[in-house]
Amino acid sequence: GENVEQHPSTLSVQEGDSAVIKCTYSDSASNYFPWYKQELGKGPQLIIDIRSNVGEKKDQRIAVTLNKTAKHFSLHITETQPEDSAVYFCAALRRGAGSYQLTFGKGTKLSVIP
Amino acid sequence: EAGVTQFPSHSVIEKGQTVTLRCDPISGHDNLYWYRRVMGKEIKFLLHFVKESKQDESGMPNNRFLAERTGGTYSTLKVQPAELEDSGVYFCASSGGLAGGQETQYFGPGTRLLVL
């Protein structure tokens, strides 16, 4: 089955700096990669996703890059703000296989220091 | 549009008791999923419904867990009898609306289960 590794497990940055979280996956057939942000006491909130037919996607201060050859994808947050502090999860899924089960990384706790 | 809702938000029970969790998906979403996060570990898939049918239940840990989705609307997840290792946060997600593809999953707030 699929295995997703996520690094780092914790990340502290100064407000205004950039943050990068990296994930690798094992199943070369995986073709959908979402990122979720989870704040304390809440459920995971989808913030951005990418499909395997593109290499990069941006939404304001958030971007995701995908390298299919190396089987890794990354989340980039620019101009970080204190409200970006949360736990971030990457995930992978293989569309078209009938089931849409997501395989998650273990999460990265991001702290943005004002 | 209302998001995925789950009830209860917290549950504390004793080992051997029964607990039933409920999930209401986003209206119109045919796909409903259950996931679980045990303390310190990653979020893990339990099962996937398409309407009222179980599409994939490969993640269900054992036969103490029973999921249903009668009528293809809300779903329940029953744990009977509960064991200590069942403690964790149980998330429900749904997908299948016009925005995003079938695989784009929106999560509920979770039910925090503690088995003593």
Side-chain angles (χ1 to χ4, degrees):
Chain A
E2 174 67 277
N3 182 53
V4 176
E5 299 284 340
Q6 182 172 348
H7 299 279
S9 57
T10 60
L11 178 61
S12 290
V13 299
Q14 289 293 134
E15 182 178 356
D17 287 351
S18 296
V20 180
I21 302 171
K22 298 182 179 182
C23 290
T24 60
Y25 60 98
S26 61
D27 186 353
S28 57
S30 288
N31 48 20
Y32 173 69
F33 307 92
W35 285 88
Y36 289 88
K37 173 185 181 182
Q38 187 178 14
E39 295 173 297
L40 202 61
K42 298 185 178 181
Q45 176 193 4
L46 179 69
I47 55 171
I48 196 168
D49 57 11
I50 190 167
R51 290 169 175 80
S52 58
N53 57 342
V54 298
E56 183 175 0
K57 183 177 179 181
K58 267 187 164 180
D59 182 3
Q60 300 181 345
R61 297 186 296 108
I62 293 173
V64 57
T65 58
L66 172 65
N67 182 326
K68 285 189 295 185
T69 304
K71 291 191 281 188
H72 68 70
F73 56 113
S74 300
L75 177 71
H76 304 251
I77 306 174
T78 59
E79 300 171 27
T80 54
Q81 300 167 4
E83 52 264 38
D84 294 329
S85 297
V87 179
Y88 291 80
F89 294 96
C90 63
L93 174 153
R94 182 162 61 120
R95 292 154 58 209
S99 174
Y100 296 127
Q101 63 169 280
L102 288 168
T103 301
F104 283 87
K106 289 189 175 180
T108 296
K109 183 177 181 181
L110 173 65
S111 299
V112 180
I113 304 162
Chain B
E1 180 183 84
V4 176
T5 58
Q6 293 186 244
F7 182 83
S9 58
H10 295 78
S11 180
V12 181
I13 61 172
E14 293 190 350
K15 175 183 171 180
Q17 290 185 322
T18 298
V19 62
T20 300
L21 314 181
R22 172 170 170 147
C23 168
D24 285 78
I26 293 171
S27 178
H29 280 191
D30 287 339
N31 297 285
L32 186 149
Y33 313 80
W34 285 98
Y35 290 84
R36 175 173 77 167
R37 188 179 190 203
V38 172
M39 179 74 77
K41 304 224 171 167
E42 63 269 35
I43 300 169
K44 285 207 166 177
F45 169 84
L46 296 178
L47 88 161
H48 168 202
F49 282 101
V50 178
K51 296 185 179 177
E52 67 275 7
S53 299
K54 291 176 185 173
Q55 177 73 19
D56 180 358
E57 50 185 331
S58 62
M60 294 288 263
N62 52 60
N63 59 10
R64 295 185 294 102
F65 289 75
L66 174 65
E68 295 180 320
R69 193 184 181 194
T70 308
T73 54
Y74 71 91
S75 174
T76 58
L77 179 66
K78 184 194 292 190
V79 185
Q80 180 183 29
E83 298 289 344
L84 300 179
E85 62 264 25
D86 300 333
S87 296
V89 184
Y90 289 77
F91 292 108
C92 175
S94 71
S95 73
L98 294 176
Q102 294 288 322
E103 71 279 6
T104 304
Q105 298 177 31
Y106 300 93
F107 280 71
T111 293
R112 282 142 188 83
L113 174 64
L114 179 59
V115 182
L116 301 176

